[in-house]
Amino acid sequence: MTVRQLSLPELAKGLVELGVPGVGLWREPVAAHGLAATARLVRDAGLRVTTLCRGGFFTAEEPAERAAALDDNRAALDEAAELGTDTLVLVSGGLPPGSRDLFGARERIADALAELLPHAAERGVRLAIEPLHPMYAADRCVVSSLDQALALAGRFPAERVGVVVDTYHLWWDDRVADGIARAGAEGRIHSFQLADWTTPLPEGVLNGRGQIGDGAVDFRWFDREVRAAGYTGPVEVELFNEGLWARDGLEVLAETVARYRAHAL
Amino acid sequence: MTVRQLSLPELAKGLVELGVPGVGLWREPVAAHGLAATARLVRDAGLRVTTLCRGGFFTAEEPAERAAALDDNRAALDEAAELGTDTLVLVSGGLPPGSRDLFGARERIADALAELLPHAAERGVRLAIEPLHPMYAADRCVVSSLDQALALAGRFPAERVGVVVDTYHLWWDDRVADGIARAGAEGRIHSFQLADWTTPLPEGVLNGRGQIGDGAVDFRWFDREVRAAGYTGPVEVELFNEGLWARDGLEVLAETVARYRAHAL
């Protein structure tokens, strides 16, 4: 999504040229390019698919809506398996319209995870709960802290349900070091994602994630913490940024790699 | 600030007519109307000034900037005393430009509080640390949770340094019930403020606080928690909302009282 202006073949070629060994994919561009074609493309390019984004949206109260969400997540698990990634990132869902019941919404997430577990196990794909910044609690994700994500994940086996550590969502939280240490000890850090926090936030607060190094996040601190917690997996850079999307995609890709090396290693 | 389109005399008259016994004031309109004139106005109207907003911005690293901030806070304490309120609300400040050191910024807040304490005691005014929503951590306030605010306040006597419980900033946090209980037990709930959480957030995320009842906040839950924690002080409604500011101020004032009665009592 960092360079969504690129087609998947352009992206794969650009990554290989830059020496980037893997890529996190979103379902929409995969569907547009074709699932089998995408699987072939990344395999032929020698790229590892680090994660598939995203499943989730588990908080609906309506039975039909809830059943549709679960079906969609089963489809996402199938897609993840076909792409050869072991991790499906979950954006768990916000409050249903008119609801003010955060507790109930969080419990419905746990119920949905329990229902998905057999299918996830069958496909060999892990469910990675991503705590989103608290500014998304109402409309996107009622899981707002690493502690909450771990409390949910902790009800299930670590090899099946874990968490995403994303700097954009967690950088402000003085409890995050403890959370990362605990997540690592439990074997539940299933993904590590980077984005910087820049202000002012844009309307709707979705597409203002800063390029690495432009904002308030101390990436070296995060990198140190996740490694100290035992994480040895891939590092993803996931930027939703209108400014970056308006630029030449390959230039942004190269800049992102350079910024990562300058600020996060 | 909820009805900043009203002059202070219009506001005072409107509040009295609605049977509202007090008002939280901001320094800018007080300065514009004149400090002595405002003190007289509210006294003559029989209104209690519940809090003065705001002091703070303690996180500067530059000595001159830091000294200026402390002077400004001493002036704010003087103004609070003259207005007859016992509480100065603090917006503690964000990260200095280019800094990524949240811990250091939070320590500078504690240092500033220690320096202000004698003056606050002399004026009989309490310093109330307001945790702001984590989306303001970079540019307005590095104190993002009630736990953090209590950790800071806890270094000082409760009758001098406490916290603000503002629903807008804290509604998403599953630790807030514990925080409220602890704050109450320590005698540190110095102010209780209401605003609703509505989406989408506007650009800059400052002026999108929802009218009571329009959003995701469970006000009765908060009211029950602060009362169970022993709070018996005033309840303030503080809305920064371009839509409300564009309307007739007295109409918004009456609507706010009605919404409070319908949703928060």
Side-chain angles (χ1 to χ4, degrees), chain A residues 95 100 102 106 133-135 137-139 144 148 171-172 174-175 197 199 201-205 213 215-218, chain B residues 95 100 102 106 133-135 137-139 144 148 171-172 174-175 197 199 201-205 213 215-218:
Chain A
L95 290 170
R100 299 183 175 96
L102 284 168
R106 289 173 186 142
H133 192 283
M135 70 186 176
D139 51 0
S144 304
Q148 286 179 343
W171 74 277
W172 59 271
D174 60 356
R175 301 172 56 82
W197 181 271
T199 57
L201 294 164
E203 185 182 359
V205 301
V217 173
D218 186 341
Chain B
L95 289 171
R100 299 183 174 97
L102 284 167
R106 288 173 186 142
H133 193 282
M135 70 185 175
D139 51 1
S144 305
Q148 288 180 342
W171 74 277
W172 59 273
D174 58 357
R175 302 172 54 83
W197 183 271
T199 55
L201 294 164
E203 185 183 358
V205 301
V217 174
D218 186 341

Side-chain angles (χ1 to χ4, degrees), chain A residues 129-192:
Chain A
I129 304 168
E130 180 160 10
L132 258 57
H133 192 283
M135 70 186 176
Y136 301 117
D139 51 0
R140 304 191 80 73
C141 183
V142 295
V143 181
S144 304
S145 69
L146 189 51
D147 285 343
Q148 286 179 343
L150 284 170
L152 275 169
R155 306 189 193 185
F156 307 99
E159 68 275 16
R160 290 272 66 85
V161 184
V163 299
V164 179
V165 174
D166 184 318
T167 62
Y168 189 77
H169 300 301
L170 304 174
W171 74 277
W172 59 271
D173 186 355
D174 60 356
R175 301 172 56 82
V176 74
D178 287 350
I180 289 171
R182 196 147 36 87
E186 295 178 9
R188 292 192 198 269
I189 305 180
H190 288 185
S191 171
F192 178 40

Side-chain angles (χ1 to χ4, degrees), chain B residues 200-253:
Chain B
L201 294 164
E203 185 183 358
V205 301
L206 277 179
N207 301 326
R209 300 196 193 180
Q211 176 61 282
I212 308 299
D214 281 351
V217 174
D218 186 341
F219 292 101
R220 284 204 186 81
W221 182 89
F222 266 97
D223 194 72
R224 205 160 55 229
E225 294 296 318
V226 298
R227 288 181 201 288
Y231 184 73
T232 57
V235 183
E236 300 180 328
V237 178
E238 187 187 56
L239 311 178
F240 294 61
N241 184 308
E242 300 283 356
L244 295 178
W245 289 334
R247 288 171 49 195
D248 177 79
L250 291 173
E251 183 190 301
V252 172
L253 204 60

Side-chain angles (χ1 to χ4, degrees), chain B residues 35-56:
Chain B
L35 178 61
T38 304
R40 198 163 50 240
L41 174 74
V42 292
R43 197 171 51 239
D44 291 352
L47 290 167
R48 167 183 175 188
V49 179
T50 49
T51 61
L52 181 65
C53 209
R54 60 186 191 209

Side-chain angles (χ1 to χ4, degrees), chain B residues 109-132:
Chain B
I109 297 167
D111 294 345
L113 291 169
E115 281 199 53
L116 286 175
L117 214 59
H119 196 80
E122 203 179 297
R123 291 290 178 272
V125 176
R126 308 180 299 181
L127 298 162
I129 303 167
E130 179 161 10
L132 257 57

